[in-house]
Amino acid sequence: MSFLVYQTIATVDIWKFHFMHGTTKSVEPFCTIGNFPLPSLSLPINYHVNKSQKDVLYKDYVNQSPIHFHYQFMDWNAGFSCKVQEILPGFRTVFKCTVPDSGKVELQYLNRFTGITGCIGLLGNEEGAYDPVVKLSGLLGTSILSLGANVALHIPTRSITKLTAGFGLNTAFLEASLTLHDSFDTLKATIYHEVNPLTQTAIATQVKHSLSLKETGVTIGAQHAFFPETLLKARFDSSGKVGALIQQGFWQRFFVTMASEIDFGATDDKIPKVGVSMALRP
């Protein structure tokens, strides 16, 4: 979709079903707009390495936003995103929202060796209101090695809610990153390897260690396309969670995904969670 000299990319993602054994229960999302992850700058530490790894391990799985609609046994959200390239030389803007959870607007500046992103957004809270959040992130590096940092400010309390820093490595064989999260309390190491680009076959691993709790968790995932528009993904982690999904594309614009997850480590609820999503990408 294009308008004048602007290129616009829009997506609509709707989680329609989320079975929770007849009860409403929020699931901590791995990577959602509501959590305000690192902006998708076009440098390895944020965009290339982390995006590839997160796509394999987390994208389109049964992840529910903390704030969502509920009807009988269904929890659901509706999402929309739009990106405008080159509003000025080196600048682009991104708008994202997840109804009713959150929304944000980003302004990104990119050149050959640096990237800077400013972001302002609204994040839903448990009282049903929305709190303004401001973020600033920056990257410095090349196509092989890059360094980055990210800080988020919660305006009502004037407190820093997120402080993240790390570096990424990108080679033809392996992509990896090492980052500090949760105000430098959590260390995450990620590795991504593309086995066969023709079939989208790839594997990824993430190791997460909490410095304060002295706990370590591992997540491993893989994906493979049996047909050009049929993608199968699976993952498991050291806590006992196992997830899988199958995604079918139509006309390279419309995608339907069925996903399921079960927590074998849970002591009180081992009912599988099931999700269905539909995405339109003009």
Side-chain angles (χ1 to χ4, degrees):
M1 182 187 300
S2 61
F3 178 74
L4 296 179
V5 297
Y6 302 142
Q7 180 184 359
T8 303
I9 302 174
T11 65
V12 178
D13 298 297
I14 305 173
W15 277 99
K16 298 186 66 177
F17 303 104
H18 188 203
F19 296 93
M20 295 296 296
H21 195 47
T23 62
T24 176
K25 176 180 177 183
S26 296
V27 179
E28 184 67 22
F30 290 100
C31 180
T32 64
I33 299 173
N35 276 346
F36 286 92
L38 292 175
S40 53
L41 295 173
S42 296
L43 288 177
I45 186 173
N46 269 352
Y47 185 77
H48 198 57
V49 174
N50 279 0
K51 183 179 185 303
S52 299
Q53 177 263 333
K54 286 179 179 179
D55 283 355
V56 174
L57 294 179
Y58 303 123
K59 185 180 180 181
D60 295 326
Y61 282 94
V62 184
N63 303 324
Q64 186 60 270
S65 298
I67 309 298
H68 52 262
F69 295 112
H70 177 75
Y71 177 73
Q72 294 183 357
F73 54 83
M74 296 182 293
D75 298 333
W76 63 278
N77 293 88
F80 175 82
S81 65
C82 179
K83 180 189 299 180
V84 181
Q85 303 277 17
E86 293 293 332
I87 55 176
L88 291 172
F91 287 89
R92 69 181 184 183
T93 184
V94 178
F95 168 77
K96 295 182 180 180
C97 70
T98 301
V99 181
D101 181 68
S102 59
K104 66 176 181 177
V105 177
E106 294 181 3
L107 180 63
Q108 304 175 353
Y109 171 74
L110 305 172
N111 60 31
R112 187 175 179 182
F113 299 107
T114 61
I116 300 174
T117 292
C119 171
I120 185 169
L122 295 174
L123 182 63
N125 56 38
E126 296 180 354
E127 288 74 25
Y130 291 88
D131 298 328
V133 178
V134 174
K135 285 197 313 174
L136 181 65
S137 66
L139 289 173
L140 176 65
T142 66
S143 60
I144 299 177
L145 181 66
S146 61
L147 306 174
N150 177 35
V151 60
L153 175 66
H154 186 254
I155 296 179
T157 60
R158 297 182 181 179
S159 61
I160 296 177
T161 57
K162 285 204 173 183
L163 184 60
T164 305
F167 70 90
L169 176 68
N170 178 33
T171 67
F173 175 76
L174 189 69
E175 300 171 9
S177 65
L178 184 66
T179 53
L180 283 166
H181 298 258
D182 304 325
S183 298
F184 299 161
D185 182 64
T186 302
L187 180 65
K188 291 183 180 181
T190 63
I191 296 176
Y192 169 86
H193 173 61
E194 188 175 47
V195 180
N196 188 344
L198 297 179
T199 59
Q200 302 182 51
T201 306
I203 56 176
T205 301
Q206 180 183 83
V207 179
K208 180 171 66 174
H209 178 72
S210 173
L211 301 178
S212 60
L213 300 177
K214 301 186 184 302
E215 295 179 350
T216 302
V218 180
T219 302
I220 300 174
Q223 69 177 31
H224 177 76
F226 290 96
F227 304 101
E229 293 196 59
T230 304
L231 182 66
L232 180 67
K233 297 167 64 174
R235 71 175 184 193
F236 68 92
D237 63 29
S238 55
S239 66
K241 290 183 180 180
V242 178
L245 69 83
I246 183 169
Q247 182 180 86
Q248 179 63 50
F250 301 92
W251 312 290
Q252 299 181 347
R253 293 291 183 269
F254 182 68
F255 300 88
V256 178
T257 304
M258 296 187 65
S260 180
E261 182 179 88
I262 184 170
D263 187 358
F264 291 101
T267 57
D268 57 345
D269 186 5
K270 293 186 179 181
I271 302 300
K273 305 178 184 70
V274 178
V276 179
S277 72
M278 295 177 289
L280 176 63
R281 300 184 177 99

